Amino acid sequence: MVRVKKALISVSDKTGITEFAKGLHRLGIEILSTGGTASLLKESGIPVVEVSSYTGFPEMLDGRVKTLHPKIHGGLLALRDNPKHLKSLKDHAIGLIDMVVVNLYPFEKTIEKPGVTQEEAIENIDIGGPSMLRSAAKNFRFVAAVTNPARYKEILEELQRNACILSDALLKSLAVDVFKLTSRYDSLIYEFLKGKTSGFPLVLRLELEKLQDLRYGENPHQRGAFYREFNKLTGLSAARQLQGKELSFNNILDLDSAWSLANEFSQPACVIVKHNNPCGVAAAKTLLRAFKDAWACDKLSAFGGIIGLNKKVNVTTARAVLKSGFIECIIAPDYDKGALKLFRQKKNIRVMEMPDLAKGPEWDLKKVTGGLLLQDKDTQDFLPEEAKIATEHKPTQKQWEALLFAWKVAKHTKSNAIILAKGTKTVGIGVGQMSRVDSVYIAIKKAGSKTKGSVLASDAFFPKEDAVQTAIKAGVKAIIHPGGSIADEEIIKIAKKARIVMVLTGMRHFRH
């Protein structure tokens, strides 16, 4: 525990600092300060002692040297229960400093600015701030190291309750905050100064904070937790759970898949996911129609699935969802009050609300034993005008619509992936098989008679003629795939003979 008698305040982010300093002053705590912070506090009527006056040494080098002085660091690092330390302080006329309130120069915001120069970035590398914080945090048994404005209220309340004494638990917690901040700060500087090779860092540092514990991992005997990128609200980590049971590991994987695919479409769309694969996808003029079309694709697999919707859910759509059968989760950007009222009748359904967030470049990470694979997220798509139509028969407007729709679905489906579609709805999906022709067989079986007149999308090329022959025999009238197989010439010849359409994208969408 420490009784706070003297605090040093020097902040770049001045959020809440005036109110915090006033609270310290009312408690009789002496305040040391520097530069702009000292000026602000004085203007607010708070008595401060400037650090240059306290140390007897002026700020110098355009403010680069302000607090790097034995009177500061000696007052922070001295062990209060060590007589030798206390004698040394007395011999050199150094007083104790019981609290440091510091946040750092805005290096991260600086380097995010377009066209920032190296010189500008370097001037925003804080030296004195991290030094004071580290000194205080190292000596956390006797010194409070405060760096987060969100904790000012908590600290003041404890000081007021305990006659200016802070507990050991709070002191240690504040020290942890410091090393969390300084480690990230140094990583940002390191990454900026070393630059990048081929767009990827030479040393990858992942900074994640735990969002929540999960009911369990992939299986009930495995523990699980959900982490998000530190200080960022992106993707599914920004979603808000409105009702339902606690999320599981698999729920989050499936919700992410459903939401990512649903947002491929500008018109109302519905995606139903089971075991991280879509089992029904549709886009339509209304969300209700999209849901009904997606559910009709594979009602058996849709049971117990996760539903992703890209528009606000109204009462009629919510009613249709509830009538269709058991579902685990639903995710959408918004809900009518009436829709939420209906969902509350099924208290176990997890209802997730997804805010509208700006999309930026993302990495895709996959863990392997002893390491990590890193790649760009597969967000790129081919331009239709750059596609190669390999057959004499050109796609009609309706076929183009269906082909482009099926191609988007294939991008979000585990390889080997085969998508059968009519218009903007799937009628059969075959995924995750070791051979492509097996995926074709599954998609045809799922579609049944709906295969006739459908279009087919394949996430990668056909290594043999068998899959294409099987699709044609079942009634497929147009096929879209990347091309690039040694069998392309023979496959195109088969398509021409059958008088169907074949489009080559030149782009593959494997998803392992």
Side-chain angles (χ1 to χ4, degrees):
M1 294 190 294
V2 62
R3 184 183 296 277
V4 180
K5 298 178 181 179
K6 186 182 295 179
L8 192 159
I9 304 177
S10 180
V11 292
S12 175
D13 177 3
K14 294 178 173 54
T15 303
I17 195 59
T18 302
E19 293 76 12
F20 185 59
K22 283 180 179 177
L24 297 179
H25 174 61
R26 282 194 291 268
L27 290 168
I29 296 168
E30 182 184 1
I31 297 174
L32 309 178
S33 192
T34 63
T37 306
S39 298
L40 174 66
L41 299 182
K42 286 178 182 178
E43 289 169 7
S44 302
I46 303 168
V48 300
V49 176
E50 296 215 28
V51 165
S52 57
S53 173
Y54 181 76
T55 62
F57 209 93
E59 292 184 13
M60 60 186 297
L61 305 181
D62 297 320
R64 283 189 169 205
V65 178
K66 290 185 271 191
T67 55
L68 299 172
H69 194 281
K71 278 202 167 184
I72 301 299
H73 290 274
L76 294 172
L77 285 165
L79 296 172
R80 274 59 165 173
D81 57 358
N82 186 318
K84 290 183 179 179
H85 283 203
L86 297 179
K87 182 179 185 304
S88 184
L89 292 188
K90 184 177 180 180
D91 291 344
H92 296 282
I94 295 174
L96 296 171
I97 299 174
D98 311 302
M99 177 185 286
V100 165
V101 185
V102 171
N103 48 58
L104 309 181
Y105 292 171
F107 183 80
E108 184 172 13
K109 288 184 178 179
T110 300
I111 61 175
E112 286 176 349
K113 293 192 299 186
V116 65
T117 64
Q118 181 169 292
E119 290 73 20
E120 184 180 1
I122 286 172
E123 286 307 311
N124 278 277
I125 296 175
D126 203 326
I127 302 300
S131 300
M132 286 189 292
L133 286 173
R134 290 176 68 86
S135 291
K138 177 176 179 174
N139 204 21
F140 69 84
R141 287 195 299 136
F142 304 109
V143 182
V146 183
T147 189
N148 185 354
R151 303 198 71 174
Y152 291 168
K153 182 180 178 183
E154 170 193 6
I155 294 164
L156 272 180
E157 287 176 350
E158 186 158 311
L159 288 169
Q160 290 162 354
R161 278 197 311 270
N162 301 328
C164 291
I165 293 174
L166 294 178
S167 66
D168 291 341
L170 180 57
L171 291 171
K172 184 175 180 180
S173 173
L174 293 171
V176 170
D177 282 352
V178 167
F179 292 112
K180 180 180 179 182
L181 172 69
T182 57
S183 64
R184 182 167 193 270
Y185 196 76
D186 287 342
S187 293
L188 288 168
I189 296 167
Y190 165 75
E191 292 290 342
F192 177 80
L193 291 178
K194 77 173 176 55
K196 293 182 179 179
T197 301
S198 303
F200 294 108
L202 294 173
V203 177
L204 180 64
R205 288 181 172 82
L206 298 178
E207 190 172 18
L208 306 168
E209 56 186 341
K210 189 166 78 169
L211 191 60
Q212 64 186 95
D213 287 310
L214 303 175
R215 292 177 68 210
Y216 48 77
E218 284 186 280
N219 299 290
H221 63 273
Q222 294 170 273
R223 293 184 302 162
F226 184 22
Y227 287 77
R228 70 177 170 194
E229 291 180 76
F230 180 74
N231 227 11
K232 288 186 180 179
L233 276 178
T234 58
L236 201 67
S237 67
R240 188 163 66 102
Q241 185 169 355
L242 304 182
Q243 71 161 62
K245 293 189 293 186
E246 188 180 359
L247 292 170
S248 73
F249 189 97
N250 295 332
N251 290 154
I252 292 173
L253 288 175
D254 288 341
L255 283 165
D256 187 53
S257 293
W259 179 254
S260 297
L261 178 48
N263 276 273
E264 286 276 0
F265 307 102
S266 55
Q267 64 187 127
C270 174
V271 178
I272 303 171
V273 167
K274 196 73 173 287
H275 296 292
N276 215 224
N277 275 307
C279 57
V281 185
K285 290 183 178 179
T286 68
L287 202 60
L288 176 61
R289 182 74 267 158
F291 167 72
K292 286 183 175 180
D293 286 346
W295 190 269
C297 178
D298 188 352
K299 294 179 182 179
L300 182 65
S301 298
F303 184 84
I306 275 71
I307 296 176
L309 301 160
N310 67 346
K311 304 294 180 185
K312 186 175 184 178
V313 179
N314 56 28
V315 172
T316 54
T317 305
R319 188 175 290 117
V321 168
L322 291 172
K323 282 184 178 179
S324 61
F326 170 62
I327 63 165
E328 285 272 1
C329 315
I330 183 167
I331 186 166
D334 200 1
Y335 301 84
D336 284 346
K337 288 183 180 178
L340 290 175
K341 185 177 180 181
L342 285 174
F343 285 129
R344 280 195 288 271
Q345 296 174 13
K346 302 285 186 180
K347 62 180 182 179
N348 286 336
I349 294 177
R350 302 161 180 89
V351 178
M352 307 295 294
E353 182 182 70
M354 192 71 173
D356 184 18
L357 298 172
K359 294 179 181 178
E362 289 186 72
W363 284 339
D364 184 23
L365 295 83
K366 296 187 187 297
K367 182 76 176 70
V368 296
T369 305
L372 194 75
L373 296 171
L374 179 68
Q375 65 177 350
D376 295 321
K377 200 170 181 70
D378 186 9
T379 57
Q380 189 176 345
D381 220 335
F382 82 104
L383 297 173
E385 58 269 24
E386 294 178 358
K388 177 184 175 183
I389 300 173
T391 51
E392 287 85 2
H393 284 74
K394 312 300 179 189
T396 65
Q397 186 175 345
K398 284 189 175 181
Q399 283 177 330
W400 255 126
E401 182 183 43
L403 286 165
L404 295 176
F405 169 82
W407 181 250
K408 285 184 178 180
V409 177
K411 184 171 75 169
H412 291 262
T413 309
K414 293 289 180 71
S415 303
N416 289 310
I418 296 294
I419 311 300
L420 297 178
K422 282 186 173 179
T424 53
K425 61 183 179 182
T426 56
V427 294
I429 299 175
V431 301
Q433 300 305 301
M434 287 66 76
S435 71
R436 195 157 295 275
V437 69
D438 281 343
S439 289
V440 173
Y441 285 136
I442 291 170
I444 290 170
K445 181 182 177 182
K446 294 284 187 182
S449 62
K450 294 177 185 175
T451 306
K452 295 187 184 299
S454 67
V455 305
L456 181 152
S458 174
D459 66 329
F461 64 57
F462 295 99
K464 296 179 181 179
E465 300 88 0
D466 53 0
V468 174
Q469 289 170 330
T470 302
I472 291 171
K473 187 177 179 181
V476 168
K477 294 301 181 184
I479 295 175
I480 187 169
H481 68 104
S485 166
I486 58 173
D488 273 0
E489 188 177 338
E490 186 60 32
I491 287 168
I492 292 168
K493 188 184 296 182
I494 292 169
K496 286 179 178 178
K497 185 177 178 180
R499 301 174 67 82
I500 72 163
V501 173
M502 182 164 284
V503 178
L504 307 182
T505 67
M507 176 181 287
R508 179 179 89 181
H509 282 307
F510 269 163
R511 184 166 175 255
H512 281 67

